Amino acid sequence: MTTHPNARFWDAIAERYAKKPLPNPAATARKLALSRDRLRPTDRLLDVGCGTGSIVLELAPHVAEAHGVDISRNMIAIAHRKAAAAGTANVVFHAQPAGTLDAFTDAQFDCVCAYNLLHLLDDPAALLHAMYRVTVPGGTLVTSTACLGGPLGPMFGGLLAVMRWLGKAPRVTVLRRDELRAAVAEAGFVDIETPDVGDSAQNVFLMARKPR
């Protein structure tokens, strides 16, 4: 059983997290619609930081094979239950840190997603490089990331540090929109888009492509 601090946090709140309603269902629906537009029935999909499986289970019917990765074993256990209840048979779940995605081979996936994850990592750039590695040439990157940088960044950082010390929040990296975009480009992705999906200004939905 993993002892990673982030795993302990998410394991502890997994059941409560699974019962929470989406903060902006309309924005999530638009993100999913844009993601589905990039998928083909023969595709292989990877959802990194899949949590309880909500996103990957929504997208799985539109691809041949899907994988979900999450650091929390309890989150993955809930994802397995949800997949069974939905009768979804083409998703494989992995309880492990995202890290460098060493469990997966180069150019294994046509689409790689990271919904609500990059800001929870100490080194989001390292994961973006790993996501580039496992994406096929011409494949798609989809991310949704809380970018809390800017003038209020120090305030957010201080508040999050206190909440983390109290056990009420995970570790969060305070990113700016331009930093996120630059990290995606530096990893090698091109044709970067940030479509307006009606979400809050802090939540950046981004789509990009790996060059052929």
Side-chain angles (χ1 to χ4, degrees), residues 28-41 43 55 58-63 111 115 142 205 207:
T28 300
R30 285 189 280 271
K31 294 175 189 179
L32 286 168
L34 288 169
S35 299
R36 287 193 297 269
D37 286 345
R38 300 290 184 100
L39 299 175
R40 299 164 299 182
D43 279 355
I55 296 296
E58 286 282 348
L59 297 177
H62 304 277
V63 297
C111 181
Y115 276 77
V142 179
F205 182 68
M207 308 183 81

Side-chain angles (χ1 to χ4, degrees), residues 123-171:
D123 191 356
L127 180 60
L128 284 167
H129 278 275
M131 293 170 79
Y132 183 89
R133 177 183 65 78
V134 302
T135 303
V136 302
T140 298
L141 169 76
V142 179
T143 69
S144 183
T145 306
C147 293
L148 303 176
L152 297 179
M155 181 190 73
F156 279 124
L159 177 61
L160 288 166
V162 172
M163 292 179 66
R164 184 169 180 267
W165 181 75
L166 293 172
K168 301 296 184 181
R171 181 189 297 275

Side-chain angles (χ1 to χ4, degrees), residues 87-100:
T88 303
N90 67 332
V91 182
V92 179
F93 290 106
H94 309 261
Q96 61 191 48
T100 55

Side-chain angles (χ1 to χ4, degrees), residues 7-188:
R8 290 196 294 269
F9 174 83
W10 293 109
D11 279 344
I13 70 164
E15 293 293 342
R16 297 197 308 275
Y17 181 88
K19 296 173 184 175
K20 287 176 59 178
L22 291 171
N24 192 333
T28 300
R30 285 189 280 271
K31 294 175 189 179
L32 286 168
L34 288 169
S35 299
R36 287 193 297 269
D37 286 345
R38 300 290 184 100
L39 299 175
R40 299 164 299 182
T42 56
D43 279 355
R44 293 159 297 173
L45 169 73
L46 174 64
D47 184 18
V48 189
C50 68
T52 62
S54 297
I55 296 296
V56 70
L57 290 172
E58 286 282 348
L59 297 177
H62 304 277
V63 297
E65 175 187 336
H67 292 255
V69 174
D70 199 89
I71 194 171
S72 167
R73 293 179 183 273
N74 290 354
M75 292 279 193
I76 291 295
I78 296 170
H80 276 294
R81 297 204 306 260
K82 290 166 70 171
T88 303
N90 67 332
V91 182
V92 179
F93 290 106
H94 309 261
Q96 61 191 48
T100 55
L101 301 177
D102 289 340
F104 304 106
T105 59
D106 294 357
Q108 184 174 346
F109 297 101
D110 301 279
C111 181
V112 180
C113 301
Y115 276 77
N116 305 313
L117 174 66
L118 293 175
H119 57 286
L120 300 177
L121 303 176
D122 292 336
D123 191 356
L127 180 60
L128 284 167
H129 278 275
M131 293 170 79
Y132 183 89
R133 177 183 65 78
V134 302
T135 303
V136 302
T140 298
L141 169 76
V142 179
T143 69
S144 183
T145 306
C147 293
L148 303 176
L152 297 179
M155 181 190 73
F156 279 124
L159 177 61
L160 288 166
V162 172
M163 292 179 66
R164 184 169 180 267
W165 181 75
L166 293 172
K168 301 296 184 181
R171 181 189 297 275
V172 173
T173 295
V174 177
L175 294 168
R176 299 194 311 268
R177 295 175 67 98
D178 60 330
E179 289 176 330
L180 173 64
R181 191 181 183 99
V184 170
E186 196 276 331

